[in-house]
DNA sequence: CAGATGTTCATGCATTTGCATGTATCGAGG
DNA sequence: CCTCGATACATGCAAATGCATGAACATCTG
């Protein structure tokens, strides 16, 4: 073998990321077209979904921000819109005067569940025919590992 | 085993997608922060990159659109901006009076290479410590399989 | 405790995005 | 050839986004 040095590893890494990214684009494109996101943008749903997963029900705005691909100011305004629509409520954080806590309203929780069911159907229709159960588990393991290594913070 | 019916498969699929999506968000967040994207947005770079990979050099706007997560009108304007900056050139498609062909200029190709080098470094620094070479290959295989199944069109 | 520095969230403003629509061209029938 | 529906791209306009900044609070340091 020739003097490949350290070219190969970074090439493999770049190709791996490229594949992951393109798969995400391809799937996301289909999901966005689904009727689940006719009235609620995908970023908005993502916030509702994340809140629905939160054990305590309340989540800090900055923790939410780590989870979502939006700038801080965009998230601030997205949440403002959700509040105006009556889907979430804000509350000043008790232990930190700067912070803001968020929670789903009843209506927000109901809407999340409704869209969620549709969304899961859409996802299944894309993923199930593509990969066996074992492959899905392996893909999940690898992407979780990547995310943890890159430095994702767990939700509280 | 109880009456799990067809809940389990769709649950696994949804969790798999969730993991893939979150990993993408986590990595993308880091990449966007890199200095590679100080002057060129990531979507803009993606267009330059895709053009650089195109064997013939010329690519139809609608083919490009399948590859990128942008609406048709947004892509139209993104390309307009790239043209104004002298990074790409447009040409009416010879075989289809409606179509538009795109090509990198010398300057565009040079900029893509420059940013690309930085970008590959950033990717490596995130992916290499996270996954072994074998894991990266497997992740690439699985995401390619998913993308192909979902219906990605190959570039010409 | 006072001051300096950092963190959290909101807001003004310019840019980017998407939806709806318009224009031009293509392709299939009659 | 002509009409009809479909496709490719551009554009008006409202909405969403990001950057820079500001205000309020937290934390650290001496």
């Amino acid at each position: 073998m020739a003097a490949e040095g350290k070219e190969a590893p970074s090439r493999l890494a770049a190709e791996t990321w490229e594949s992951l990214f393109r798969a995400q684009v391809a799937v996301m494109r289909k999901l966005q077209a689904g009727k689940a996101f006719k009235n609620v943008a995908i970023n908005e749903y993502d916030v509702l979904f994340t809140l629905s997963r939160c054990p305590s029900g309340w989540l800090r705005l900055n923790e939410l921000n780590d989870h979502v691909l939006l700038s801080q100011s965009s998230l601030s305004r997205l949440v403002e819109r959700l509040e105006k629509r009556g889907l979430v409520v804000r509350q000043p954080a008790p232990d930190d005067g700067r912070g803001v806590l968020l929670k789903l309203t009843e209506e927000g929780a109901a809407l999340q569940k409704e869209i969620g069911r549709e969304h899961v159907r859409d996802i299944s229709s894309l993923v199930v025919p593509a990969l066996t159960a074992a492959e899905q588990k392996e893909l999940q393991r690898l992407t979780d590992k990547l995310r943890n290594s890159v430095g994702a913070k767990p939700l509280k």
Side-chain angles (χ1 to χ4, degrees), chain A residues 27-38 42-43 119:
Chain A
V27 172
M28 186 61 85
R29 195 168 258 298
K30 298 280 185 178
L31 291 178
Q32 280 181 333
K35 66 182 169 193
F37 300 104
K38 203 62 187 174
I42 197 138
N43 278 335
H119 193 216

Side-chain angles (χ1 to χ4, degrees), chain A residues 1 16 51 61 147:
Chain A
M1 46 188 69
T16 300
L51 287 173
L61 217 45
R147 180 163 74 118

Side-chain angles (χ1 to χ4, degrees), chain A residues 65-134:
Chain A
N65 211 152
D66 293 331
H67 210 240
V68 166
L69 199 56
L70 277 175
S71 70
Q72 181 270 320
S73 59
S74 297
L75 179 61
S76 178
R77 283 180 165 122
L78 189 154
V79 166
E80 187 182 39
R81 293 195 299 270
L82 293 180
E83 189 179 36
K84 263 178 200 150
R85 287 170 67 174
L87 302 175
V88 303
V89 283
R90 292 159 123 133
Q91 192 184 53
D95 58 328
D96 187 335
R98 301 163 298 181
V100 171
L101 289 174
L102 264 189
K103 189 173 81 104
L104 288 177
T105 61
E106 295 253 339
E107 192 185 337
L111 180 61
Q112 186 281 315
K113 274 182 206 139
E114 186 190 327
I115 297 180
R117 274 191 291 272
E118 186 66 32
H119 193 216
V120 167
R121 266 194 292 276
D122 290 347
I123 293 169
S124 296
S125 75
L126 294 170
V127 174
V128 170
L131 301 171
T132 68

